[in-house]
Amino acid sequence: MRPPFPAFGHTVGRALDECRAAVVDFRRAPTEPRPKDNVFGGVEPVCDLDLRLQSLLSAAARDRWPDLPVVAEEERSALEPTPDRCLLIDPLDGTAPFLEGRDSYAIGVCLVDGGRPVASVLDLPAYRVRLTAAAGTLHVDGDVDALPWFGPRCVLTGPRHVGRVRVALARHRLEGYEVRPVPTAGVKLALVALARAGAAVLPPRAGVAAPWDHAPGAVAVAAAGGRFCTAADADGTTVRPAVLDAWLATAAGADPPRRLGRLLSPPPTRKAGT
């Protein structure tokens, strides 16, 4: 049986309290990061805190639900299909901005059951805000006003993608939007779920996102009445979490998702010699 939603939120929440304490300890006595090969064949930083948080969350899950597989980011050399039932863990989403001393990092945990994400906890330790979500239910702990506010006509994207999104808005004649950079998927999705921004996007041909990057936030956005969709226009909470090469999240009450969905259209391919 899948863990019931209240038990899931309580168990993960207690482990996340320990994670917040570990973040404070690391800030007081940081260790040097080191490079690691990620599941996409690239290189990114990892620090002892990534491993500590993953250990805390994995141990809590295995103690409470010993038969539930755990799929966690660190020490994973390849990306396999997400099991029908599992717990996805992103111990430190935004390691690079965290190491730079910035607040844009998150800890995400998502319960997958029947091949789809059904519940999640998304924690923003720097802001002391935590979102616990399941279908139709979003519980928020902390002061939401501590978070940045961008407004309903703002589209969030990664710092390297701002120009690309602005070009796409102009190409599709989507006027009146501003584009702002936020480096971490979990933080972008939390801001959309809480209507602190109108939308967030990973534009086509701009990179890829692992399942644990987007699944916790996708559940939170949907629970708040918004929508998380893939490039195939699939509702991200009704399909198996997988690698995505583009996604779009829209807040409840924002412009119709199909209007902003044009941002998921691939840019035209340049012909040879042009």
Side-chain angles (χ1 to χ4, degrees):
M1 293 178 61
R2 86 185 202 197
F5 176 61
F8 170 75
H10 179 68
T11 297
V12 176
R14 286 195 305 171
L16 285 169
D17 289 341
E18 293 185 67
C19 290
R20 285 187 180 182
V23 169
V24 173
D25 290 343
F26 185 87
R27 287 292 197 203
R28 289 173 178 160
T31 57
E32 287 296 317
R34 51 197 179 275
K36 72 163 186 178
D37 295 330
N38 62 28
V39 294
F40 302 114
V43 177
E44 60 186 54
V46 65
C47 64
D48 290 338
L49 182 64
D50 291 271
L51 303 178
R52 174 61 177 155
L53 300 185
Q54 179 165 300
S55 176
L56 287 169
L57 292 165
S58 298
R62 290 180 176 128
D63 181 62
R64 184 66 177 82
W65 305 296
D67 297 327
L68 186 66
V70 172
V71 178
E73 177 183 12
E74 302 305 334
E75 300 179 329
R76 183 169 293 275
S77 60
L79 191 60
E80 300 174 352
T82 304
D84 284 346
R85 295 185 64 256
C86 69
L87 204 64
L88 290 174
I89 296 177
D90 194 348
L92 188 55
D93 181 15
T95 300
F98 172 81
L99 292 172
E100 294 168 359
R102 302 170 66 183
D103 293 336
S104 187
Y105 62 94
I107 305 170
V109 181
C110 182
L111 175 64
V112 177
D113 190 46
R116 62 186 185 90
V118 297
S120 74
V121 184
L122 189 58
D123 197 47
L124 310 182
Y127 300 102
R128 303 195 67 79
V129 171
R130 182 176 299 163
L131 290 71
T132 305
T137 304
L138 178 67
H139 180 76
V140 183
D141 289 306
D143 180 9
V144 172
D145 289 336
L147 293 165
W149 187 86
F150 295 96
R153 302 289 290 179
C154 182
V155 179
L156 307 179
T157 194
R160 294 184 293 109
H161 309 147
V162 170
R164 187 188 297 260
V165 174
R166 285 175 177 159
V167 168
L169 287 168
R171 184 172 72 248
H172 295 292
R173 298 181 181 178
L174 295 167
E175 300 176 349
Y177 292 94
E178 65 171 327
V179 184
R180 297 289 295 275
V182 172
T184 305
V187 176
K188 288 193 282 284
L189 291 168
L191 292 170
V192 171
L194 297 171
R196 309 293 289 180
V201 66
L202 172 65
R205 301 179 188 169
V208 288
W212 48 74
D213 290 328
H214 54 80
V219 176
V221 169
R227 187 167 190 261
F228 180 94
C229 59
T230 70
D233 197 33
D235 181 339
T237 62
T238 64
V239 296
R240 187 182 304 275
V243 173
L244 297 180
D245 56 9
W247 56 257
L248 172 71
T250 50
D255 276 357
R258 289 197 177 278
R259 174 174 162 80
L260 282 173
R262 301 173 197 171
L263 294 176
L264 294 180
S265 301
T269 303
R270 296 181 61 184
K271 295 180 180 180
T274 63

